[in-house]
């Protein structure tokens, strides 16, 4: 897996990704504590709303920005987005009203919606061989998992000597360091595409390719499964830890770390697993695991008796999420051409996050209004629906192929 780090450009970009993710991890913990500070037991509702706003930015801003910046140098796009995120993170410690959280979250995630698809579409160009790309996907998943594991632990240590407001400074530092590394990295020259077709055509091209490919339609269904499990963890862990079980901020950090640990185990094993089973098999099994695990969370919330069992369940949720997320970019790589690659990665970014517009409010508002067991039951039902839909939309012998949108249609 580590052989791909011998490629200098990828190694530097991977380092930038880790630094940005570390800052984002500190932001996750600090934002949860800020919401609890401002709203108390209604913190889940505040986080649910804030994360829904984040998803709206991802869904609607990402495809528009991808179409607008397609002719700009990739390095310029990445550095500008990082600098904008750093500036917004610096303003977060001064928030004292809930509505301010919503405004800054939208601005911050609009910058992320510009950065992430551009970053993801660059990796297949740097690593054109599928075996190397699979290793890079596992490393990328591992980076996300290490962030989920280490960021809460680092936050827990820092919280013993400082206010959680200072964690936002760490977020800013992560984005700044990421910008510096990207700025000083020699990136491959990507030929500029002709800016043909209307803005609406270019904005919707990736989604139309998804809808025309059975395998990618199956991926869309599995995105809903991932969103259900992730919403339960990101929105309601703070409520489980501080309210349901009456724990401390350290317990919150430990629970998030367990989620990251479960995902990390799968990420480390993914390259070998995918040599023996198909992407579809691994991803559908992940869907089944997430559906069952979210149902089990309802039982734990109802009984309120086993904190250790909840930590184990959070590890299972992390594993199921990684079983779907790690192979998903392989499907995009196989279905993409040089002309459609950036559009496909942007479409996956937007479509996957569109599912969170449904699941984040359910996790937050249903949990706040009817209790955590009800929220977990609804999320489990959605995860089950997504898994069944994936089985029907993605036949066992169907593999992603070239997009069905012709070059002539792309230029129209």
């Amino acid at each position: 897996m580590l052989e791909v780090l011998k490629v200098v450009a990828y190694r530097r970009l991977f380092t930038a990704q880790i630094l940005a993710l570390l800052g984002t991890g500190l932001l996750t913990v600090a934002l949860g504590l800020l919401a609890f500070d401002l709203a108390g037991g209604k913190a889940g509702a505040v986080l649910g709303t804030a994360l829904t706003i984040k998803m709206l930015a991802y869904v609607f801003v990402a495809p528009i920005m991808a179409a607008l910046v397609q002719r700009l140098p990739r390095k310029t796009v990445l550095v500008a987005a990082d600098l904008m995120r750093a500036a917004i993170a610096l303003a977060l410690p001064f928030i004292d009203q809930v509505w301010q959280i919503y405004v800054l979250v939208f601005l911050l995630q609009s910058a992320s919606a510009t950065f992430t698809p551009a970053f993801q579409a660059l990796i297949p160009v740097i690593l054109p061989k599928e075996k190397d790309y699979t290793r890079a996907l596992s490393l990328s998943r591992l980076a996300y998992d290490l962030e989920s594991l280490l960021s809460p632990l680092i936050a827990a240590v820092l919280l013993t000597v400082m206010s959680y407001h200072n964690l936002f400074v760490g977020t800013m530092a992560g984005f700044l360091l990421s910008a510096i590394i990207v700025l000083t990295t020699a990136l491959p020259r990507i030929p500029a595409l002709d800016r043909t077709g209307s803005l609406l055509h270019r904005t919707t091209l990736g989604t139309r390719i998804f809808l025309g490919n059975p395998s990618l339609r199956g991926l869309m269904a599995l995105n809903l499964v991932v969103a259900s499990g992730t919403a339960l963890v990101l929105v309601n862990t703070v409520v489980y830890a501080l309210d349901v079980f009456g724990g401390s901020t350290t317990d919150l950090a430990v629970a998030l770390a367990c989620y990251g640990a479960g995902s990390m185990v799968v990420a480390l094993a993914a390259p070998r697993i995918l040599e023996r089973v198909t992407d579809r098999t691994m991803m559908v099994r992940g869907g089944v695991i997430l559906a069952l695990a979210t149902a089990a969370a309802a039982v734990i919330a109802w009984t309120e008796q086993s904190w250790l069992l909840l930590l184990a369940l959070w590890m299972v949720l992390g594993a199921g999420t990684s079983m779907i997320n790690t192979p998903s970019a392989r499907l995009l790589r196989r279905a993409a051409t040089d002309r459609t690659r950036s559009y496909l990665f942007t479409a996956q970014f937007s479509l996957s996050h569109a599912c969170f517009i449904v699941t984040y409010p359910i996790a937050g508002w249903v949990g706040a209004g009817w209790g955590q067991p009800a929220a977990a039951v609804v999320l489990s039902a959605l995860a089950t629906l997504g898994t069944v839909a994936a089985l029907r939309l993605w036949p066992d012998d169907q593999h992603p192929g070239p997009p069905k949108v012709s070059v002539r249609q792309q230029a129209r």
Side-chain angles (χ1 to χ4, degrees):
M1 187 189 301
L2 298 179
E3 288 182 5
V4 292
L5 294 178
K6 295 178 181 178
V7 180
V8 176
Y10 176 73
R11 182 173 69 245
R12 293 180 65 84
L13 288 179
F14 182 65
T15 303
Q17 180 188 27
I18 291 176
L19 291 170
L21 286 174
L22 179 60
T24 302
L26 296 179
L27 173 66
T28 300
V29 177
L31 196 59
L33 295 174
L34 176 61
F36 194 80
D37 194 20
L38 295 177
K42 299 295 184 180
V46 173
L47 277 180
T49 301
L51 293 174
T52 301
I53 291 172
K54 169 183 175 180
M55 294 305 110
L56 288 171
Y58 281 178
V59 171
F60 295 107
V61 174
I64 294 174
M65 291 304 299
L68 291 176
V69 307
Q70 66 174 356
R71 301 197 68 182
L72 295 177
R74 195 61 54 91
K75 181 181 294 188
T76 300
V77 175
L78 296 177
V79 172
D82 261 340
L83 292 178
M84 183 176 178
R85 293 195 292 183
I88 296 169
L90 186 60
L92 287 170
F94 303 101
I95 285 179
D96 59 5
Q97 300 290 329
V98 170
W99 68 267
Q100 295 171 350
I101 292 180
Y102 301 152
V103 172
L104 290 182
V105 163
F106 178 80
L107 295 175
L108 178 68
Q109 302 308 329
S110 294
S112 293
T114 304
F115 179 94
T116 304
F119 180 90
Q120 292 174 336
L122 187 61
I123 303 305
V125 180
I126 296 175
L127 300 172
K129 296 181 180 179
E130 180 165 323
K131 188 173 183 180
D132 290 339
Y133 185 57
T134 301
R135 291 169 176 167
L137 291 178
S138 293
L139 277 177
S140 180
R141 186 70 250 166
L142 181 61
Y144 280 101
D145 298 335
L146 284 174
E147 176 267 311
S148 298
L149 179 64
L150 297 179
S151 292
L153 297 178
I154 294 173
V157 173
L158 293 176
L159 287 171
T160 63
V161 296
M162 64 176 63
S163 165
Y164 70 83
H165 289 89
N166 293 319
L167 297 182
F168 292 118
V169 178
T171 298
M172 180 194 68
F175 291 141
L176 285 178
L177 290 173
S178 173
I180 292 171
I181 292 176
V182 172
L183 185 63
T184 56
T185 299
L187 299 179
R189 185 183 297 272
I190 301 176
L193 299 178
D194 293 334
R195 194 166 179 171
T196 54
S198 65
L199 176 62
L200 178 62
H201 172 87
R202 288 180 280 118
T203 299
T204 60
L205 176 59
T207 301
R208 288 184 282 114
I209 294 173
F210 259 79
L211 294 176
N213 187 304
S215 300
L216 297 184
R217 289 201 299 267
L219 174 59
M220 290 171 61
L222 290 171
N223 287 336
L224 178 62
V225 183
V226 170
S228 299
T230 304
L232 177 69
V233 174
L234 294 188
V235 175
N236 288 333
T237 297
V238 63
V239 181
Y240 276 85
L242 304 184
D243 191 22
V244 174
F245 287 96
S248 64
T249 56
T250 300
D251 293 322
L252 167 63
V254 170
L256 293 174
C258 287
Y259 176 74
S263 184
M264 181 176 64
V265 170
V266 172
L268 287 170
R272 291 187 178 181
I273 293 175
L274 290 172
E275 290 177 358
R276 297 192 299 268
V277 303
T278 64
D279 295 328
R280 180 184 183 275
T281 298
M282 182 173 180
M283 295 170 72
V284 169
R285 288 176 181 175
V288 173
I289 289 173
L290 286 176
L292 295 175
T294 47
V299 177
I300 291 178
W302 182 267
T303 59
E304 302 182 9
Q305 292 182 354
S306 180
W307 172 249
L308 292 179
L309 184 59
L310 181 134
L311 295 181
L313 184 62
W314 257 226
M315 292 185 68
V316 173
L317 284 166
T321 299
S322 190
M323 290 175 69
I324 297 175
N325 281 338
T326 301
S328 62
R330 285 161 51 101
L331 308 183
L332 301 176
R333 180 183 179 277
R334 295 191 195 114
T337 66
D338 289 339
R339 181 178 293 273
T340 61
R341 183 179 294 111
S342 63
Y343 294 110
L344 271 178
F345 276 88
T346 300
Q348 166 62 3
F349 184 80
S350 295
L351 293 171
S352 62
H353 288 92
C355 299
F356 288 97
I357 296 178
V358 177
T359 60
Y360 277 152
I362 289 174
W365 291 103
V366 174
W370 289 278
Q372 296 305 315
V377 167
V378 176
L379 291 172
S380 177
L382 286 177
T384 301
L385 178 64
T387 303
V388 173
L391 286 169
R392 294 181 62 86
L393 293 170
W394 188 354
D396 194 22
D397 59 348
Q398 178 68 45
H399 300 283
K404 295 184 179 181
V405 179
S406 68
V407 172
R408 179 175 297 178
Q409 288 175 313
Q410 295 168 21
R412 185 176 301 166

